[in-house]
């Protein structure tokens, strides 16, 4: 219902059918079952709707149930808009990369374009935009020292997830540290072997419960690369009021969702999309492929205010000190930016 209201309000701002905005249509195809994830998909949609609200441009939202239906929608859009002016399609996920390669657009209309989000692929007729995760994940890993860590990912093989894992693990190798003389560990686990892993919150919750049951004092910090499945981790840490486990917020600031989230990795894809669309409306070209990250502020870490005030009284790993995570953020951010630049140059 909220989507329909947003679309209606966007198309009702300006009744002048001859305005450039009224002649244009911007379409966003979100990840299958991705909308409502309180993460990347929702953030992208917020930027999309904000652009429409501010400019009066016609918007259209495509909600495929799976990749097969997404490819059908993509083929139909290409067929319908080959010769139309000012028709834009945003493919909102790297999951659509192979689809974009198979169906390269040949748009002859003035101002018509296709964008692929969260991909660095170079595809003829497609502009790609990638928000790099290595630097911000490296920073998150450096800020988890003196803690055992679990990297919980939706599925293997997705470039943005594997980049996040690489950054986090590289920092952990250097900064994991020790607690009571024992080296702090880092584990990696995939929830599924396909894109279905992004929409399995119940399975993720059950996995967390089983994992916690194996340790009387379960105290890992979870780095969730899960999309909508991240709700399962959030449910676990909120259900168990005596857990020592913590979770890093992912994609958006989740500070208000649990007292067990010391900081969040935020991916500002909504702001990036909105700027791209404003540039398009002003007649400015898009780069064929562009990468933004920690240095540009497209990815960053947002600290949870007063996190230490809500800890269990018998927790003692350093992070109970006020401003503990702020100190770590300030100490390691410049190094994380440098590591990001080195990673991208290789």
């Amino acid at each position: 219902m909220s989507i329909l209201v947003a679309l209606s309000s966007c198309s009702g701002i300006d009744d002048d059918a001859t305005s450039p905005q009224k002649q244009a249509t911007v379409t966003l195809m979100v990840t299958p079952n991705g909308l409502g994830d309180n993460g990347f998909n929702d953030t992208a949609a917020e930027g999309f709707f904000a652009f429409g609200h501010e400019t009066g441009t016609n918007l259209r939202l495509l909600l495929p149930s799976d990749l097969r239906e997404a490819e059908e929608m993509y083929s139909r859009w290409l067929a319908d808009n080959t010769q139309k002016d000012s028709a834009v399609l945003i493919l909102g996920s790297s999951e659509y990369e192979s689809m974009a390669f198979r169906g390269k657009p040949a748009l002859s209309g003035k101002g018509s374009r296709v964008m692929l989000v969260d991909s660095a692929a170079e595809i003829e007729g497609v502009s790609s935009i990638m928000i790099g995760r290595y630097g911000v994940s490296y920073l998150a890993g450096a800020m988890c020292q003196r803690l055992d860590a679990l990297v919980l990912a939706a599925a293997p093989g997705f470039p943005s997830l594997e980049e996040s894992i690489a950054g986090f693990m590289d920092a952990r190798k250097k900064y994991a540290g020790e607690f009571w003389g024992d080296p702090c560990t880092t584990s990696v686990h995939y929830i599924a072997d396909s894109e279905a892993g992004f929409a399995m919150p119940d399975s993720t919750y059950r996995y967390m419960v089983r994992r916690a049951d194996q340790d009387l004092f379960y105290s890992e910090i979870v780095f969730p690369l899960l999309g909508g499945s991240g709700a399962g981790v959030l449910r676990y840490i909120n259900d168990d009021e005596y857990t020592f486990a913590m979770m890093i917020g992912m994609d958006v600031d989740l500070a208000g969702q649990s007292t067990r989230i010391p900081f969040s990795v935020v991916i500002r894809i909504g702001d990036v999309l909105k700027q791209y669309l404003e540039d398009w409306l002003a007649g400015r070209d898009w780069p064929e492929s562009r990468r933004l990250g920690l240095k540009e502020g497209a990815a960053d870490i947002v600290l949870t205010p007063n996190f230490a005030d809500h800890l269990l009284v018998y927790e003692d790993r350093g992070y109970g000190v006020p401003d503990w995570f702020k100190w770590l953020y300030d100490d390691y951010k410049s190094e994380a930016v440098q590591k990001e630049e080195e990673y991208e140059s290789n």
Side-chain angles (χ1 to χ4, degrees):
M1 184 178 296
S2 62
I3 293 169
L4 293 175
V5 170
L7 288 170
S8 176
S9 64
C10 289
S11 62
I13 290 174
D14 181 2
D15 292 330
D16 181 5
T18 64
S19 69
Q21 292 92 333
K22 282 302 170 185
Q23 297 175 35
T25 300
V26 179
T27 302
L28 171 64
M29 183 190 293
V30 299
T31 306
N33 301 309
L35 208 61
D37 63 358
N38 196 26
F40 187 87
N41 286 280
D42 285 2
T43 303
E46 286 176 8
F48 171 72
F49 287 135
F51 166 77
H53 180 74
E54 292 177 11
T55 64
T57 305
N58 290 316
L59 302 182
R60 187 181 178 207
L61 194 62
L62 297 180
L63 304 169
S65 59
D66 53 35
L67 291 178
R68 180 194 59 78
E69 185 177 17
E71 188 143 16
E72 292 175 357
M73 290 178 172
Y74 180 51
S75 297
R76 192 179 309 125
W77 187 93
L78 290 177
D80 292 345
N81 293 277
T82 300
Q83 298 180 359
K84 287 185 179 178
D85 292 338
S86 301
V88 173
L89 175 64
I90 302 169
L91 301 174
S93 169
S94 59
E95 293 181 52
Y96 297 143
E97 185 175 296
S98 58
M99 181 179 79
F101 271 112
R102 288 192 297 273
K104 297 176 183 177
L107 305 176
S108 59
K110 182 179 180 181
S112 292
R113 304 178 187 178
V114 173
M115 174 194 290
L116 177 62
V117 172
D118 218 25
S119 170
E122 296 183 3
I123 305 172
E124 185 179 350
V126 177
S127 295
S128 61
I129 176 68
M130 178 75 178
I131 297 185
R133 267 62 162 204
Y134 184 90
V136 72
S137 298
Y138 185 95
L139 181 55
M143 291 172 63
C144 290
Q145 51 193 266
R146 299 192 70 199
L147 297 167
D148 294 329
L150 168 64
V151 179
L152 197 55
F158 290 92
S160 61
L161 302 195
E162 299 302 335
E163 181 178 324
S164 297
I165 293 171
F168 190 83
M169 295 296 288
D170 284 349
R172 291 288 296 176
K173 291 172 187 175
K174 188 174 181 180
Y175 293 117
E178 298 180 347
F179 183 66
W180 286 357
D182 295 323
C184 292
T185 62
T186 311
S187 304
V188 179
H189 178 79
Y190 294 98
I191 291 296
D193 58 4
S194 70
E195 68 275 0
F198 291 100
M200 297 172 59
D202 292 340
S203 296
T204 302
Y205 173 77
R206 290 192 292 271
Y207 175 79
M208 290 300 304
V209 171
R210 290 195 303 271
R211 192 174 183 91
D213 284 346
Q214 297 172 8
D215 189 340
L216 182 61
F217 299 105
Y218 179 60
S219 58
E220 289 179 308
I221 186 165
V222 182
F223 186 55
L225 305 170
L226 295 162
S229 296
V233 183
L234 187 62
R235 177 184 166 194
Y236 163 72
I237 62 173
N238 284 335
D239 279 0
D240 188 344
E241 61 181 318
Y242 298 110
T243 186
F244 288 96
M246 294 185 288
M247 169 186 170
I248 298 170
M250 186 57 61
D251 292 338
V252 297
D253 183 4
L254 294 180
Q257 300 294 311
S258 175
T259 59
R260 307 297 301 171
I261 298 175
F263 59 87
S264 297
V265 171
V266 295
I267 306 298
R268 298 191 172 105
I269 183 60
D271 294 340
V272 172
L273 279 184
K274 185 171 178 288
Q275 184 60 60
Y276 260 69
L277 291 172
E278 289 171 352
D279 288 345
W280 162 75
L281 200 59
R284 291 187 282 270
D285 289 334
W286 290 345
E288 290 185 7
S289 182
R290 188 182 182 194
R291 184 183 178 93
L292 303 170
L294 184 63
K295 181 179 180 180
E296 295 81 8
D300 207 346
I301 281 177
V302 175
L303 303 173
T304 299
N306 305 315
F307 171 74
D309 295 345
H310 304 287
L311 295 173
L312 300 172
V313 294
Y314 35 86
E315 290 188 75
D316 180 23
R317 285 192 175 227
Y319 55 80
V321 176
D323 293 330
W324 170 261
F325 289 104
K326 183 181 184 304
W327 293 338
L328 294 174
Y329 176 89
D330 292 341
D331 283 348
Y332 296 108
K333 183 173 182 180
S334 60
E335 179 182 342
V337 170
Q338 178 184 348
K339 293 293 185 180
E340 179 178 69
E341 292 173 343
E342 292 173 359
Y343 177 83
E344 293 174 0
S345 65
N346 292 334

